[in-house]
PDB file of all heavy atoms in Angstrom:
ATOM      1  N   ASP A  26      90.231-234.163-126.357  1.00 91.00           N
ATOM      2  CA  ASP A  26      90.033-232.819-125.735  1.00 91.00           C
ATOM      3  C   ASP A  26      91.167-232.265-124.953  1.00 91.00           C
ATOM      4  O   ASP A  26      91.792-233.054-124.098  1.00 91.00           O
ATOM      5  CB  ASP A  26      88.793-232.732-124.864  1.00 91.00           C
ATOM      6  CG  ASP A  26      87.450-232.817-125.670  1.00 91.00           C
ATOM      7  OD1 ASP A  26      87.565-232.616-126.902  1.00 91.00           O
ATOM      8  OD2 ASP A  26      86.454-233.129-125.202  1.00 91.00           O
ATOM      9  N   ARG A  27      91.501-231.095-125.069  1.00 94.00           N
ATOM     10  CA  ARG A  27      92.474-230.395-124.206  1.00 94.00           C
ATOM     11  C   ARG A  27      91.650-229.787-123.071  1.00 94.00           C
ATOM     12  O   ARG A  27      90.534-229.252-123.264  1.00 94.00           O
ATOM     13  CB  ARG A  27      93.226-229.252-124.973  1.00 94.00           C
ATOM     14  CG  ARG A  27      94.020-229.772-126.143  1.00 94.00           C
ATOM     15  CD  ARG A  27      95.090-230.737-125.816  1.00 94.00           C
ATOM     16  NE  ARG A  27      95.999-231.043-126.871  1.00 94.00           N
ATOM     17  CZ  ARG A  27      95.817-232.141-127.577  1.00 94.00           C
ATOM     18  NH1 ARG A  27      95.006-232.985-127.318  1.00 94.00           N
ATOM     19  NH2 ARG A  27      96.726-232.392-128.527  1.00 94.00           N
ATOM     20  N   ILE A  28      92.227-229.984-121.873  1.00 94.00           N
ATOM     21  CA  ILE A  28      91.418-229.430-120.837  1.00 94.00           C
ATOM     22  C   ILE A  28      92.130-228.520-119.885  1.00 94.00           C
ATOM     23  O   ILE A  28      93.453-228.289-120.020  1.00 94.00           O
ATOM     24  CB  ILE A  28      90.988-230.657-119.821  1.00 94.00           C
ATOM     25  CG1 ILE A  28      92.270-231.363-119.251  1.00 94.00           C
ATOM     26  CG2 ILE A  28      90.096-231.597-120.599  1.00 94.00           C
ATOM     27  CD1 ILE A  28      91.948-232.430-118.211  1.00 94.00           C
ATOM     28  N   LYS A  29      91.362-227.722-119.016  1.00 96.00           N
ATOM     29  CA  LYS A  29      91.867-226.851-118.099  1.00 96.00           C
ATOM     30  C   LYS A  29      91.648-227.337-116.788  1.00 96.00           C
ATOM     31  O   LYS A  29      90.446-227.769-116.534  1.00 96.00           O
ATOM     32  CB  LYS A  29      91.316-225.441-118.305  1.00 96.00           C
ATOM     33  CG  LYS A  29      91.667-224.820-119.633  1.00 96.00           C
ATOM     34  CD  LYS A  29      91.134-223.490-119.795  1.00 96.00           C
ATOM     35  CE  LYS A  29      91.416-222.921-121.182  1.00 96.00           C
ATOM     36  NZ  LYS A  29      90.594-221.762-121.437  1.00 96.00           N
ATOM     37  N   LEU A  30      92.499-227.318-115.754  1.00 96.00           N
ATOM     38  CA  LEU A  30      92.219-227.782-114.430  1.00 96.00           C
ATOM     39  C   LEU A  30      92.283-226.598-113.448  1.00 96.00           C
ATOM     40  O   LEU A  30      93.231-225.773-113.561  1.00 96.00           O
ATOM     41  CB  LEU A  30      93.178-228.749-113.932  1.00 96.00           C
ATOM     42  CG  LEU A  30      93.279-230.083-114.627  1.00 96.00           C
ATOM     43  CD1 LEU A  30      94.479-230.974-114.125  1.00 96.00           C
ATOM     44  CD2 LEU A  30      92.011-230.823-114.565  1.00 96.00           C
ATOM     45  N   VAL A  31      91.289-226.506-112.494  1.00 97.00           N
ATOM     46  CA  VAL A  31      91.412-225.648-111.406  1.00 97.00           C
ATOM     47  C   VAL A  31      91.301-226.518-110.134  1.00 97.00           C
ATOM     48  O   VAL A  31      90.564-227.397-110.136  1.00 97.00           O
ATOM     49  CB  VAL A  31      90.223-224.603-111.399  1.00 97.00           C
ATOM     50  CG1 VAL A  31      90.203-223.738-110.089  1.00 97.00           C
ATOM     51  CG2 VAL A  31      90.105-223.828-112.633  1.00 97.00           C
ATOM     52  N   VAL A  32      92.361-226.321-109.343  1.00 98.00           N
ATOM     53  CA  VAL A  32      92.449-227.118-108.142  1.00 98.00           C
ATOM     54  C   VAL A  32      92.419-226.424-106.849  1.00 98.00           C
ATOM     55  O   VAL A  32      93.079-225.256-106.801  1.00 98.00           O
ATOM     56  CB  VAL A  32      93.923-227.838-108.311  1.00 98.00           C
ATOM     57  CG1 VAL A  32      94.132-228.780-107.103  1.00 98.00           C
ATOM     58  CG2 VAL A  32      93.986-228.639-109.607  1.00 98.00           C
ATOM     59  N   HIS A  33      91.832-226.951-105.887  1.00 98.00           N
ATOM     60  CA  HIS A  33      91.758-226.351-104.524  1.00 98.00           C
ATOM     61  C   HIS A  33      92.288-227.518-103.500  1.00 98.00           C
ATOM     62  O   HIS A  33      91.624-228.578-103.622  1.00 98.00           O
ATOM     63  CB  HIS A  33      90.402-225.856-104.042  1.00 98.00           C
ATOM     64  CG  HIS A  33      90.343-225.425-102.715  1.00 98.00           C
ATOM     65  ND1 HIS A  33      91.141-224.315-102.243  1.00 98.00           N
ATOM     66  CD2 HIS A  33      89.913-225.978-101.537  1.00 98.00           C
ATOM     67  CE1 HIS A  33      90.961-224.162-100.879  1.00 98.00           C
ATOM     68  NE2 HIS A  33      90.227-225.110-100.539  1.00 98.00           N
ATOM     69  N   THR A  34      93.359-227.371-102.926  1.00 97.00           N
ATOM     70  CA  THR A  34      93.991-228.297-102.132  1.00 97.00           C
ATOM     71  C   THR A  34      94.903-227.663-101.025  1.00 97.00           C
ATOM     72  O   THR A  34      95.119-226.512-101.053  1.00 97.00           O
ATOM     73  CB  THR A  34      94.732-229.371-102.914  1.00 97.00           C
ATOM     74  OG1 THR A  34      95.030-230.498-102.097  1.00 97.00           O
ATOM     75  CG2 THR A  34      95.896-228.895-103.580  1.00 97.00           C
ATOM     76  N   ASP A  35      95.398-228.539-100.121  1.00 97.00           N
ATOM     77  CA  ASP A  35      96.340-228.011 -99.159  1.00 97.00           C
ATOM     78  C   ASP A  35      97.802-227.811 -99.832  1.00 97.00           C
ATOM     79  O   ASP A  35      98.046-228.228-100.958  1.00 97.00           O
ATOM     80  CB  ASP A  35      96.481-228.871 -98.008  1.00 97.00           C
ATOM     81  CG  ASP A  35      96.852-230.356 -98.294  1.00 97.00           C
ATOM     82  OD1 ASP A  35      97.615-230.523 -99.304  1.00 97.00           O
ATOM     83  OD2 ASP A  35      96.567-231.244 -97.544  1.00 97.00           O
ATOM     84  N   ASP A  36      98.741-227.240 -99.086  1.00 97.00           N
ATOM     85  CA  ASP A  36     100.044-227.001 -99.574  1.00 97.00           C
ATOM     86  C   ASP A  36     100.825-228.222 -99.940  1.00 97.00           C
ATOM     87  O   ASP A  36     101.576-228.259-100.877  1.00 97.00           O
ATOM     88  CB  ASP A  36     100.828-226.165 -98.634  1.00 97.00           C
ATOM     89  CG  ASP A  36     100.415-224.728 -98.562  1.00 97.00           C
ATOM     90  OD1 ASP A  36      99.805-224.370 -99.489  1.00 97.00           O
ATOM     91  OD2 ASP A  36     100.689-224.007 -97.467  1.00 97.00           O
ATOM     92  N   THR A  37     100.554-229.321 -99.213  1.00 96.00           N
ATOM     93  CA  THR A  37     101.322-230.568 -99.593  1.00 96.00           C
ATOM     94  C   THR A  37     101.039-231.058-101.018  1.00 96.00           C
ATOM     95  O   THR A  37     101.881-231.328-101.804  1.00 96.00           O
ATOM     96  CB  THR A  37     100.921-231.779 -98.553  1.00 96.00           C
ATOM     97  OG1 THR A  37     101.343-231.281 -97.188  1.00 96.00           O
ATOM     98  CG2 THR A  37     101.598-232.941 -98.822  1.00 96.00           C
ATOM     99  N   ILE A  38      99.679-231.142-101.273  1.00 96.00           N
ATOM    100  CA  ILE A  38      99.317-231.665-102.706  1.00 96.00           C
ATOM    101  C   ILE A  38      99.666-230.546-103.683  1.00 96.00           C
ATOM    102  O   ILE A  38     100.033-230.867-104.824  1.00 96.00           O
ATOM    103  CB  ILE A  38      97.808-232.007-102.630  1.00 96.00           C
ATOM    104  CG1 ILE A  38      97.465-233.088-101.699  1.00 96.00           C
ATOM    105  CG2 ILE A  38      97.434-232.346-104.105  1.00 96.00           C
ATOM    106  CD1 ILE A  38      98.237-234.460-101.907  1.00 96.00           C
ATOM    107  N   LYS A  39      99.427-229.296-103.367  1.00 97.00           N
ATOM    108  CA  LYS A  39      99.862-228.256-104.346  1.00 97.00           C
ATOM    109  C   LYS A  39     101.243-228.335-104.656  1.00 97.00           C
ATOM    110  O   LYS A  39     101.689-228.163-105.925  1.00 97.00           O
ATOM    111  CB  LYS A  39      99.498-226.857-103.722  1.00 97.00           C
ATOM    112  CG  LYS A  39      99.807-225.727-104.639  1.00 97.00           C
ATOM    113  CD  LYS A  39      99.395-224.384-104.067  1.00 97.00           C
ATOM    114  CE  LYS A  39      99.800-223.238-105.040  1.00 97.00           C
ATOM    115  NZ  LYS A  39      99.627-221.947-104.426  1.00 97.00           N
ATOM    116  N   ASN A  40     102.168-228.521-103.757  1.00 97.00           N
ATOM    117  CA  ASN A  40     103.619-228.616-104.038  1.00 97.00           C
ATOM    118  C   ASN A  40     103.893-229.838-104.881  1.00 97.00           C
ATOM    119  O   ASN A  40     104.774-229.715-105.768  1.00 97.00           O
ATOM    120  CB  ASN A  40     104.403-228.670-102.743  1.00 97.00           C
ATOM    121  CG  ASN A  40     104.404-227.382-101.980  1.00 97.00           C
ATOM    122  OD1 ASN A  40     104.225-226.332-102.525  1.00 97.00           O
ATOM    123  ND2 ASN A  40     104.600-227.432-100.683  1.00 97.00           N
ATOM    124  N   ILE A  41     103.243-230.928-104.703  1.00 96.00           N
ATOM    125  CA  ILE A  41     103.393-232.065-105.512  1.00 96.00           C
ATOM    126  C   ILE A  41     102.975-231.825-107.004  1.00 96.00           C
ATOM    127  O   ILE A  41     103.668-232.034-107.911  1.00 96.00           O
ATOM    128  CB  ILE A  41     102.739-233.328-104.947  1.00 96.00           C
ATOM    129  CG1 ILE A  41     103.397-233.677-103.631  1.00 96.00           C
ATOM    130  CG2 ILE A  41     102.672-234.438-105.952  1.00 96.00           C
ATOM    131  CD1 ILE A  41     102.556-234.698-102.737  1.00 96.00           C
ATOM    132  N   ILE A  42     101.811-231.216-107.176  1.00 97.00           N
ATOM    133  CA  ILE A  42     101.331-230.881-108.468  1.00 97.00           C
ATOM    134  C   ILE A  42     102.336-229.943-109.147  1.00 97.00           C
ATOM    135  O   ILE A  42     102.595-230.106-110.277  1.00 97.00           O
ATOM    136  CB  ILE A  42      99.914-230.256-108.379  1.00 97.00           C
ATOM    137  CG1 ILE A  42      98.940-231.356-107.910  1.00 97.00           C
ATOM    138  CG2 ILE A  42      99.506-229.591-109.719  1.00 97.00           C
ATOM    139  CD1 ILE A  42      97.540-230.840-107.654  1.00 97.00           C
ATOM    140  N   GLU A  43     102.806-228.876-108.345  1.00 98.00           N
ATOM    141  CA  GLU A  43     103.737-227.963-108.946  1.00 98.00           C
ATOM    142  C   GLU A  43     105.004-228.619-109.389  1.00 98.00           C
ATOM    143  O   GLU A  43     105.594-228.166-110.400  1.00 98.00           O
ATOM    144  CB  GLU A  43     103.938-226.815-108.022  1.00 98.00           C
ATOM    145  CG  GLU A  43     102.789-225.881-107.916  1.00 98.00           C
ATOM    146  CD  GLU A  43     102.994-224.825-106.829  1.00 98.00           C
ATOM    147  OE1 GLU A  43     103.785-224.948-105.934  1.00 98.00           O
ATOM    148  OE2 GLU A  43     102.327-223.773-106.965  1.00 98.00           O
ATOM    149  N   THR A  44     105.489-229.547-108.694  1.00 98.00           N
ATOM    150  CA  THR A  44     106.758-230.372-109.018  1.00 98.00           C
ATOM    151  C   THR A  44     106.565-231.119-110.213  1.00 98.00           C
ATOM    152  O   THR A  44     107.497-231.134-111.115  1.00 98.00           O
ATOM    153  CB  THR A  44     107.029-231.191-107.772  1.00 98.00           C
ATOM    154  OG1 THR A  44     107.319-230.491-106.643  1.00 98.00           O
ATOM    155  CG2 THR A  44     108.342-232.018-108.180  1.00 98.00           C
ATOM    156  N   PHE A  45     105.372-231.569-110.451  1.00 98.00           N
ATOM    157  CA  PHE A  45     105.174-232.480-111.600  1.00 98.00           C
ATOM    158  C   PHE A  45     104.218-231.857-112.562  1.00 98.00           C
ATOM    159  O   PHE A  45     103.616-232.619-113.449  1.00 98.00           O
ATOM    160  CB  PHE A  45     104.660-233.884-111.185  1.00 98.00           C
ATOM    161  CG  PHE A  45     105.684-234.557-110.304  1.00 98.00           C
ATOM    162  CD1 PHE A  45     105.491-234.616-108.972  1.00 98.00           C
ATOM    163  CD2 PHE A  45     106.683-235.377-110.865  1.00 98.00           C
ATOM    164  CE1 PHE A  45     106.373-235.321-108.169  1.00 98.00           C
ATOM    165  CE2 PHE A  45     107.603-235.984-110.106  1.00 98.00           C
ATOM    166  CZ  PHE A  45     107.459-236.051-108.758  1.00 98.00           C
TER     167      PHE A  45
END
Side-chain angles (χ1 to χ4, degrees):
D26 285 342
R27 301 297 189 258
I28 61 171
K29 296 177 185 175
L30 294 178
V31 177
V32 179
H33 176 69
T34 191
D35 61 27
D36 286 340
T37 301
I38 300 297
K39 181 179 179 185
N40 289 335
I41 293 168
I42 292 170
E43 289 175 334
T44 299
F45 296 99

